[in-house]
């Protein structure tokens, strides 16, 4: 009979531990496969959360929020909280798993838009425009404000640009501490929200609407319309260089809702909503539609996340 020495037993034990640990992690990852689509119903001012299991809708929950600013919505995927500004300029946070209000604070001023959440420094960031005091002047200044996510205390409030105009592409790079904004000259501005300094400017040489950020692969993904072909394209760019990684005709996309988009890492898909309130999942590499879901309400914000049930 062949016997195993102590060293062999230790090696086998370690290997088994690795296998079981890997299995536990696989089970943990597999447990969070339920796709949740959280949207803002602009018809009746409610947050709607839809659950999908294997592409089939299995649940629908709603939560009324009343009067709100449709340009103020955020979603924190670390805490699964939906944020918005009400009509009294109070910013509120709703836990979409329990549909309970978890926090609120008064914004420092009205007119703040294009909000983003910094989950590393625990900040809510937005921009706003200040008119020139001279009535005859058409100029003004753009400001970026950062507030503590818990108390609403203003951490910084800095001017960063003069007389700029912005589209529907704005993202936040938490690790780099950069608020990235596309201006009307199709240039990305990389702004430090603490100082207001523009670290750099990157020309894209194309339009890019409804931009979202894939932080894992450092990609900026959005829709670009071509005046030459009169078609929409799903485009992914290297956000550091501006180099085009993928550009494909967007199937069956003539019109889309502005500022309504997201990215799902699990499916490697870019999500937008067309003018028929249909949610389209585009494969980033091919531009093919891999999922679609018809909504029965008008939508003004969309966010995707995963849950175990």
């Amino acid at each position: 009979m062949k016997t195993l020495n102590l060293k062999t037993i230790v090696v086998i034990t370690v290997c088994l531990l690795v296998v079981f640990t890997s299995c536990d992690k696989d089970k943990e990852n597999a447990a969070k496969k339920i796709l949740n689509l959280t949207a803002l119903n602009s018809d009746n001012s409610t947050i709607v959360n839809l659950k999908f299991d294997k592409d089939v809708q299995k649940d629908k929950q709603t939560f009324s929020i009343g009067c709100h600013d449709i340009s103020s919505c955020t979603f924190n995927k670390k805490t699964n909280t939906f944020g918005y500004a009400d009509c009294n300029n109070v910013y509120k946070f709703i836990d979409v798993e329990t549909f309970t209000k978890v926090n609120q604070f008064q914004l420092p001023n009205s007119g703040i838009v294009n909000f983003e959440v910094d989950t590393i420094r625990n900040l809510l960031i937005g921009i706003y425009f200040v008119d020139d005091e001279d009535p005859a002047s058409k100029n003004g200044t753009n400001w970026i404000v950062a507030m503590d996510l818990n108390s609403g205390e203003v951490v910084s409030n800095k001017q960063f640009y003069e007389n700029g105009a912005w589209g529907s592409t704005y993202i936040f790079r938490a690790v780099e501490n950069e608020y990235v904004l596309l201006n009307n000259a199709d240039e990305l501005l990389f702004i430090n929200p603490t100082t207001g300094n523009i670290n750099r400017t990157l020309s894209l040489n194309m339009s890019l609407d409804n931009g979202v950020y894939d932080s894992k692969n450092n990609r900026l993904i959005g829709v670009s319309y071509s005046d030459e072909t009169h078609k929409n394209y799903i485009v992914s760019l290297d956000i550091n260089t501006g180099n085009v990684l993928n550009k494909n005709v967007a199937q069956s996309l003539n019109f889309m809702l502005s500022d309504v988009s997201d990215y799902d890492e699990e499916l490697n898909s870019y999500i937008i909503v067309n003018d028929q309130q249909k949610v389209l999942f585009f494969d980033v590499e091919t531009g093919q539609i891999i999922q679609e879901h018809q909504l029965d309400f008008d939508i003004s914000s969309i966010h995707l996340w995963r849950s175990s049930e």
Side-chain angles (χ1 to χ4, degrees), residues 160-196:
F160 71 93
Y161 210 66
E162 290 186 2
N163 198 28
W166 322 108
S168 57
T169 290
Y170 55 94
I171 56 107
F172 184 71
R173 305 176 77 196
V175 174
E176 293 81 4
N177 191 26
E178 290 180 328
Y179 183 96
V180 185
L181 189 64
L182 186 67
N183 66 13
N184 59 350
D186 296 330
E187 296 173 326
L188 288 176
L189 308 182
F190 295 77
I191 308 161
N192 183 315
T194 306
T195 64

Side-chain angles (χ1 to χ4, degrees), residues 208-264:
L208 195 72
D209 294 314
N210 285 14
V212 297
Y213 181 45
D214 168 17
S215 59
K216 182 179 179 180
N217 298 298
N218 268 321
R219 296 185 299 181
L220 180 63
I221 307 165
V223 176
S224 182
Y225 178 77
S226 170
D227 289 324
E228 295 180 0
T229 64
H230 304 292
K231 293 181 180 179
N232 287 304
Y233 293 83
I234 305 297
V235 179
S236 67
L237 306 164
D238 184 315
I239 199 167
N240 292 314
T241 64
N243 291 339
V244 176
L245 303 174
N246 302 99
K247 183 177 181 180
N248 296 284
V249 174
Q251 285 185 330
S252 307
L253 182 65
N254 295 318
F255 302 98
M256 64 182 177
L257 302 186
S258 178
D259 205 13
V260 180
S261 57
D262 204 353
Y263 173 74
D264 182 58

Side-chain angles (χ1 to χ4, degrees), residues 153-166:
E153 178 185 357
V154 175
V155 175
S156 62
N157 188 21
K158 302 290 184 180
Q159 178 185 335
F160 71 93
Y161 210 66
E162 290 186 2
N163 198 28
W166 322 108

Side-chain angles (χ1 to χ4, degrees), residues 3 11 15 26 29 56 69-70 100 129-130 138 148 175 193 204 207 212 228 238 242 257 265 281 295 298:
T3 60
V11 170
C15 290
D26 288 343
N29 292 334
V56 178
D69 179 357
I70 63 172
T100 55
F129 179 77
V130 176
K138 294 183 179 180
D148 184 275
V175 174
L204 297 186
S207 65
V212 297
E228 295 180 0
D238 184 315
L257 302 186
E265 182 180 319
F281 290 64
L295 302 180
D298 287 337

